[in-house]
Every structure is written in structure tokens, then in C-alpha cells.
Amino acid sequence: MTPILILGAGRMGGALIQGWRRAGAFAPADLILRDPHPTELAQAVARDGARLNPADPVLVEAQTVLLAVKPQLWRETAAEVASLLHPEAVIVSVAAGVQSADIAAAFGRKVARVMPTTAVAIGQGTTSIYAAEPEARARAQALFGPVGTVVDLDDEVLMHAATAVSGSAPAYLYAFIEALEAGGAAAGLPVEAAQRLARSTIAGAAALLAQSGEEPAELRRQVTSPGGTTQAALEVLMGEGGLSPLLRDAVAAALRRSKELGA
């Protein structure tokens, strides 16, 4: 499946490169990077053996192509490189909302669609995968399996929901932490103390969820004493207009935007 051509070595492409390096999944010599504005990471990987912005004839060597440009740029990118690629190259796309049939038509090759999170950089990513062809699905699994959890989807329409629930969700959590820190400061804590308390607590709670195997509802019950401080707070968070309806609306908004990008 190598060499791997990465079209766009920015935030997501760069996160994946970092994750591969941590996991020892692919050597720099396995990578071909094409990016008009290479980051420091891309330049560092090039110094270690990757080929950065090589001449066009080199692209035919790539067996796997990671399409990691912004969704608004994918057609332009396809027009530039499709004729330069190996006929049997497989396209793995992280372009949010862009349908696999459109990508396949533009590139003329088998396609897998993925929606990862940037935690692939530390080997703790979450990636949703859809592909009509088994070869393309296996190729995407090989790219993202070493850097986190992979969830296979059998219906491409579910990629919109996966984007809203997983791909965009780290930002929801970061926004929650920002608000919790601000709440702590408003309650009188020094800003630095509020930040350390909020961040450490959320990280620990997430680790406990991952390692305990318990359902979130059960863990919530375990730390909620009847009539105590946590219950008082949860009556606000889980009441009318609280987290549940807010997150339903947030997921629905992200899902609508994903469909708009695909159109």
C-alpha cells in the first residue's frame, strides 16, 4: 500500500503523520507529501526521508492517496493530480461531506471515505470509515487502525451523523472545558487554578470511562449523591434547555452543514 501520497499535509494530514511516527506504522521514506505551504512538520519529515513536493512523474509511484485538503479545494486538487496517479491507486478521503461517488468520478479510482479526529496524532483518534469496495475499506483501516479506534459504517449516509457525533465532537468538549473554567473563575477561583482543576478532572473522567467499561450513565450515578452538590448542578445541566437538547441541536446543525458541504 506504499508509497502513500498525502495531498494536504496540514492539520489533519499532519496529525496522521505524527501518529504514524509515534506508532512506527509507516517510515518517512514511505511518504510523498504534496502541499503548497508545507508546515515545519512536513519539512522535518522530508529531512527524515519523505519526498516533499516532488516532480509530477513521482506521483505515479503512490499506491495509496490520502486526500486531506479542505472540502472546498478537493475538486481543484483532483483536477491537478488525477491524471498523474497510478491506475490502481486507492483514494482515502478525509474531506468532510464529500460523497465517495463524486470523488471516484473525479479521480477514476476506488475510494474510501473517513472522518477521523485529530487525536490520531497521539494514537487515540476515532475514525469512521465507509467504502463500497473491500479493498478501499481495508486500505483505510490500515492507515487509521494504528492510530486509534476505527468504526466501520455500511451506509454512506451515516457519515454525516458520524461527522457530527465524532469528527466535530472534540470541539464540543473543548468548548465545555472553556465554559467550566470560566464558571470556576466566576466562583472565585484563580484563573490558573480553575484551568488546572477543570482540565485534569475532565482528562481523568475520560480515562476512567475508557478503562472501566462502565456506561456513562452509571458513572454519573456513582458520583451523584442524592441531595448533594453534584445533583444540584445536574438539575441545571440536565434540565429543560440543558445539555441534552443543546447537544441534539448541535449535532443536527453539524449534520446539516456536512450535507451542505457535500452538495
Side-chain angles (χ1 to χ4, degrees):
M1 62 179 289
T2 59
I4 301 167
L5 169 61
I6 301 178
L7 300 174
R11 183 160 300 171
M12 184 54 70
L16 191 54
I17 291 169
Q18 287 178 290
W20 288 340
R21 294 180 78 179
R22 288 172 62 101
F26 300 103
D30 293 327
L31 307 180
I32 304 170
L33 313 181
R34 184 180 173 99
D35 193 307
H37 307 289
T39 63
E40 291 184 8
L41 172 64
Q43 295 175 40
V45 174
R47 289 192 293 271
D48 290 339
R51 285 173 283 181
L52 175 60
N53 293 327
D56 287 350
V58 171
L59 303 190
V60 74
E61 298 178 26
Q63 299 299 305
T64 306
V65 179
L66 181 73
L67 179 62
V69 298
K70 295 179 180 179
Q72 297 88 338
L73 300 177
W74 82 268
R75 287 190 183 277
E76 175 185 336
T77 301
E80 290 175 356
V81 305
S83 64
L84 305 173
L85 301 176
H86 192 283
E88 300 301 318
V90 173
I91 313 299
V92 179
S93 170
V94 301
V98 183
Q99 300 295 303
S100 60
D102 293 334
I103 299 169
F107 281 92
R109 289 161 178 85
K110 295 177 181 177
V111 172
R113 276 186 65 191
V114 300
M115 176 48 60
T117 63
T118 52
V120 295
I122 59 171
Q124 296 188 41
T126 303
T127 303
S128 305
I129 294 176
Y130 169 79
E133 295 90 357
E135 180 184 0
R137 185 182 295 269
R139 197 69 59 89
Q141 291 169 338
L143 292 182
F144 288 90
V147 291
T149 299
V150 169
V151 177
D152 285 307
L153 300 176
D154 293 327
D155 187 341
E156 185 170 11
V157 73
L158 296 176
M159 289 294 292
H160 295 300
T163 298
V165 170
S166 176
S168 299
Y172 311 162
L173 180 59
Y174 301 144
F176 178 88
I177 295 169
E178 284 183 89
L180 183 58
E181 291 174 358
L189 286 169
V191 171
E192 183 179 355
Q195 291 174 342
R196 292 183 64 191
L197 285 168
R199 297 176 195 192
S200 177
T201 300
I202 295 298
L208 180 61
L209 174 65
Q211 295 177 25
S212 69
E214 297 277 9
E215 292 295 317
E218 175 57 28
L219 291 174
R220 172 175 54 79
R221 282 192 289 269
Q222 290 175 14
V223 296
T224 306
S225 300
T229 58
T230 305
Q231 181 176 331
L234 287 176
E235 287 173 357
V236 176
L237 287 175
M238 302 184 71
E240 184 177 354
L243 277 179
S244 291
L246 278 175
L247 283 175
R248 279 198 303 269
D249 290 347
V251 169
L255 188 150
R256 285 194 302 271
R257 183 56 180 155
S258 178
K259 290 181 177 179
E260 291 168 0
L261 288 170

